[in-house]
Amino acid sequence: MIGKVYGTGSYVPPHVMDNDDLSRMVDTSDEWIRERTGISRRHIAKAETTSYMAGEAAWKAVEQSRIAPAEIDLILVATSSSETIFPCTACEVQKRIGAVNAAGYDLNAACTGFVHAFNTAQAYISAGIYRTVLVVGAESMSNMIDWSDRGTCILFGDGAGAVLLRGEEGGKAFMAAHSDGEKSQALTSLSRHRRDWEKETDGASYVRMDGQGVFKFAVRKVPEIIEEVLDQAHMELDEVDYFVLHQANRRIIEAVAKRLNTDLSRFPMNLEEYANTSAATIPILLDEMNEKELLQRGQKVLMAGFGAGLTWGACLFEW
Ligand code: ACO
């Protein structure tokens, strides 16, 4: 049994912040940001919450699938920026789409979260535990960013994407996942609710990042994990139709393609428009590709995510 994609959906807030807007807030420029990252714009949540965006993306995926919400067995939401610690975002999505028979929980592995959630769904489906699983990645990164830190505030955006999977006989998804807690300090965001007893404050906390360290990690580990799932599947690089990578930085994706000696045209990108929406980048991109009818049944898709933890994961599956 394998989870086949029956529907995709996404939601990004309408408010757009471009690089020129940012250059009025911090010492940066459109040229610097585009050259170093490939990003031109990002969509920023104003009134929208993470669970609202997750619900919108989920609803579109469910509508497209033509599966009744009551048939959904499980909802998994990958997020590290929900407006609530509990209730979990998955339960908010359940309420919003009327998936009355679904269990649900959230999963946090930062930017790798969607790949982990997708792999978890596939494992449940192949074990025969659940048949119909909704997998969502949703983030409000704008709430976690220090808007005076030019090293990080230029990189992120907000949004959500969703995929509805239903079990079918035959086929297999090939997966791998790793983490390296020794490198946890390369990318952090402390809990906003942690009380500092010495300063007697509930300190605000923002994303802090060793940009070059994260860059080097991604460029080394993503090609390795791509090779790992291909080995499992006894497949060659040439047999993959699309490499759908976490959209953090154009230069990371270019370096991965180069290391694998593979044409960049097989690495779709949309980070120019949305920037890094963490766990939401991959499902937003899948939904865009689906809408453009780039994805056909039987094509081989290899997803790879990487991020804080440090964590990285991949899945090779048939569309
Ligand atoms: N505008 C202008 N100058 C800047 C900016 C900015 N926004 N940010 C940094 N600089 C300056 C630095 O201060 C430095 O100046 P100096 O030479 O006078 O000291 C100079 O630019 C070079 O800085 P670097 O950090 O060396 O620049 P780099 O080429 O490494 O680019 C970047 C920085 C874009 C952050 C890059 O390291 C990167 O993309 N890393 C990966 C980060 C990432 O993708 N994180 C998220 C992945 S995981 C997840 O998604 C959660």
Side-chain angles (χ1 to χ4, degrees), residues 26-29 32-33 36-37 110-112 141 149-156 187 207 209-218 246-249 251-252 276-279 281 306-308 310:
V26 288
D27 184 11
T28 190
S29 67
W32 194 97
I33 300 170
R36 302 285 177 124
T37 69
C111 305
T112 318
M141 297 305 291
D149 174 13
R150 68 177 182 173
T152 53
C153 74
I154 59 157
L155 296 173
F156 297 98
L187 187 49
V207 171
M209 182 181 71
D210 164 12
Q212 289 191 6
V214 174
F215 194 99
K216 284 181 196 151
F217 144 76
H246 168 48
Q247 305 284 294
N249 183 320
R251 286 193 301 142
I252 292 176
N276 179 349
T277 56
S278 193
T281 66
F306 54 91
L310 295 173

Side-chain angles (χ1 to χ4, degrees), residues 172-227:
K172 195 168 185 297
F174 299 91
M175 329 166 180
H178 300 281
S179 41
D180 182 359
E182 290 291 342
K183 299 208 174 65
S184 59
Q185 295 310 301
L187 187 49
T188 58
S189 173
L190 304 180
S191 166
R192 257 162 271 154
H193 301 280
R194 184 171 172 199
R195 183 170 173 79
D196 184 332
W197 289 100
E198 282 184 8
K199 291 186 192 151
E200 294 201 342
T201 57
D202 292 322
S205 108
Y206 302 109
V207 171
R208 297 287 176 221
M209 182 181 71
D210 164 12
Q212 289 191 6
V214 174
F215 194 99
K216 284 181 196 151
F217 144 76
V219 166
R220 201 172 60 249
K221 292 299 181 188
V222 174
E224 278 179 22
I225 203 165
I226 287 175
E227 300 277 12

Side-chain angles (χ1 to χ4, degrees), residues 9-239:
S10 63
Y11 177 88
V12 290
H15 179 72
V16 174
M17 186 187 279
D18 68 18
N19 293 343
D20 288 332
D21 292 328
L22 273 172
S23 71
R24 288 187 281 276
M25 295 162 66
V26 288
D27 184 11
T28 190
S29 67
D30 175 51
E31 193 189 358
W32 194 97
I33 300 170
R34 275 195 289 110
E35 203 174 288
R36 302 285 177 124
T37 69
I39 297 164
S40 295
R41 289 169 293 279
R42 68 282 296 139
H43 292 240
I44 299 295
K46 289 282 190 176
E48 302 92 340
T49 60
T50 299
S51 61
Y52 172 81
M53 295 190 289
E56 289 293 297
W59 181 246
K60 287 177 191 156
V62 173
E63 267 194 334
Q64 189 182 90
S65 73
R66 297 177 185 278
I67 290 172
E71 290 180 51
I72 298 170
D73 301 310
L74 177 68
I75 301 169
L76 296 174
V77 179
T79 184
S80 48
S81 56
S82 190
E83 71 277 14
T84 55
I85 304 281
F86 52 79
C88 62
T89 312
C91 288
E92 293 296 314
V93 171
Q94 177 198 29
K95 179 172 68 182
R96 189 168 182 82
I97 65 173
V100 288
N101 295 311
Y105 60 92
D106 293 0
L107 202 146
N108 172 6
C111 305
T112 318
F114 180 79
V115 175
H116 281 317
F118 188 92
N119 287 349
T120 303
Q122 291 290 7
Y124 275 125
I125 291 167
S126 65
I129 297 167
Y130 297 118
R131 181 168 181 225
T132 307
V133 184
L134 179 63
V135 190
V136 185
E139 304 279 13
S140 304
M141 297 305 291
S142 58
N143 290 326
M144 302 171 79
I145 287 164
D146 176 353
W147 288 98
S148 66
D149 174 13
R150 68 177 182 173
T152 53
C153 74
I154 59 157
L155 296 173
F156 297 98
D158 300 333
V163 166
L164 190 72
L165 294 172
R166 170 160 276 193
E168 283 185 7
E169 290 302 335
K172 195 168 185 297
F174 299 91
M175 329 166 180
H178 300 281
S179 41
D180 182 359
E182 290 291 342
K183 299 208 174 65
S184 59
Q185 295 310 301
L187 187 49
T188 58
S189 173
L190 304 180
S191 166
R192 257 162 271 154
H193 301 280
R194 184 171 172 199
R195 183 170 173 79
D196 184 332
W197 289 100
E198 282 184 8
K199 291 186 192 151
E200 294 201 342
T201 57
D202 292 322
S205 108
Y206 302 109
V207 171
R208 297 287 176 221
M209 182 181 71
D210 164 12
Q212 289 191 6
V214 174
F215 194 99
K216 284 181 196 151
F217 144 76
V219 166
R220 201 172 60 249
K221 292 299 181 188
V222 174
E224 278 179 22
I225 203 165
I226 287 175
E227 300 277 12
E228 188 180 340
V229 288
L230 285 170
D231 279 354
Q232 271 183 46
H234 303 293
M235 276 175 59
E236 301 293 331
L237 276 164
D238 288 351
E239 295 174 67

